[in-house]
Amino acid sequence: MGLTSKKLLVLVIVLAVAFFVATIWLWPRLSRQGVKPIAGRVGLLFGGQLAILAALGLSINSYFGFYSSFADLFGTNQDPGQVVDYTAGATNGKDGLEHLGSQGVGVPGGGSPEKAGRIDKVQIKGAKTGITTPAYVYLPPQYFQKGFSKQNFPASVILTGYPGTAESLITRMKYPQTATEHIQQGKMQPMIMVMMRPTVVPPRDTECMDVPGGPQVETFFTKELRQVISANYRVGNAPQNWGVMGDSTGGYCALKMSMRHPDAFSAAVSLSGYYNTHNDPTTGDLFGGSKQLQNENDMMWLLKNKPAPKVWALVTSSKQGEWDYSRTVAFMKAVKPPMQIASIILPSGGHNFTTWNREVPSALDALSQHLTQ
């Protein structure tokens, strides 16, 4: 049973209930003095509390998608988990891509790529950075239709928060399902999506930076990832062909990478993202003592001290429930041409999937319309 298995959650809940019943039933018998009765009482209390905490932790992890497996939890495996029922075996791609399998989108008609599109599971390796990470590639229905057989498509990198799991972009955020439905409804232009987490060197949170003397994550995302996808799918490699979108840490990465690399991404969406690099035990030393590098990863500093990049960005927040609302307003006010800014500001909403699911449909439509084929 995996960390996110419902069977494991049910088992732990049953165990917690069993400890509760056993405590009530056995407590009178263990009320006597002596080492064994005392040890029995301690064991019942400790076991019951541990089972309750485990059930609570498993429930929270299942909802928010923090860790997809025990290997992911302990940082012993870079693979964030498996989606079952693939229809194809592993095949070799070109220039750093390995195709591991494909699956339907999970909408009516999802068994037909020409009607609903397809999701590929791939492994991507950067030639120079050496970073290897899994991803899911969503291909719109038009990608498989004869009338579009020679057409290139715009593409966007879709990022989770930290630590996140790529599967949550499919199962909880429902990016592929929303894209197919909106394409069919004419709200969104056909677009390829590369869905992954920004934690490409787990368990470290690199904040999508080229760390001095460490992993070159920014280079991987802004150069190598785009090159690998363009070599294996029908998408251009020009900045106007590419966007980037994410929530929380993924939102910060999206905004930062577009502003620092307008030659890579021409459009960005930041769902509840922040505006300067975090510095905590999960990140380690990201700047190597360089104040300049720290400044250049602060979006407000960039707006005040560097020429405005020619990119379009959409930021989201909530007036109540989001700690970054005031900073989001300040950021929007600081933006100057040629950079363009848009926003989704909700009356209320927390830093969670429920809020982001309210924002994704409109944000995804807007992002696709700011990219070219």
Side-chain angles (χ1 to χ4, degrees), residues 106-138:
V107 297
S112 171
E114 295 86 355
K115 295 181 180 179
R118 190 180 76 192
I119 301 171
D120 290 350
K121 184 175 184 180
V122 301
Q123 190 90 346
I124 299 171
K125 182 176 182 178
K128 293 184 178 180
T129 65
I131 292 173
T132 301
T133 187
Y136 294 94
V137 179
Y138 165 80

Side-chain angles (χ1 to χ4, degrees), residues 80 122-125 131-137 156-161 163-170 175 193-200 217 220-221 225-226 229 242 244-247 250 257:
V122 301
Q123 190 90 346
I124 299 171
K125 182 176 182 178
I131 292 173
T132 301
T133 187
Y136 294 94
V137 179
S156 287
V157 179
I158 310 295
L159 299 173
T160 68
T165 64
E167 289 92 337
S168 68
L169 298 172
I170 301 172
Y175 274 97
M193 295 187 296
V194 185
M195 299 172 288
M196 57 197 303
R197 60 180 187 171
T199 316
V200 294
V217 178
F220 172 79
F221 277 115
L225 173 64
R226 293 168 56 252
I229 295 299
W242 281 88
V244 56
M245 177 174 178
D247 60 80
M257 289 191 296

Side-chain angles (χ1 to χ4, degrees), residues 30 32-43:
L30 299 172
R32 300 186 302 272
Q33 297 296 319
V35 175
K36 290 184 178 181
I38 293 175
R41 295 197 297 269
V42 171

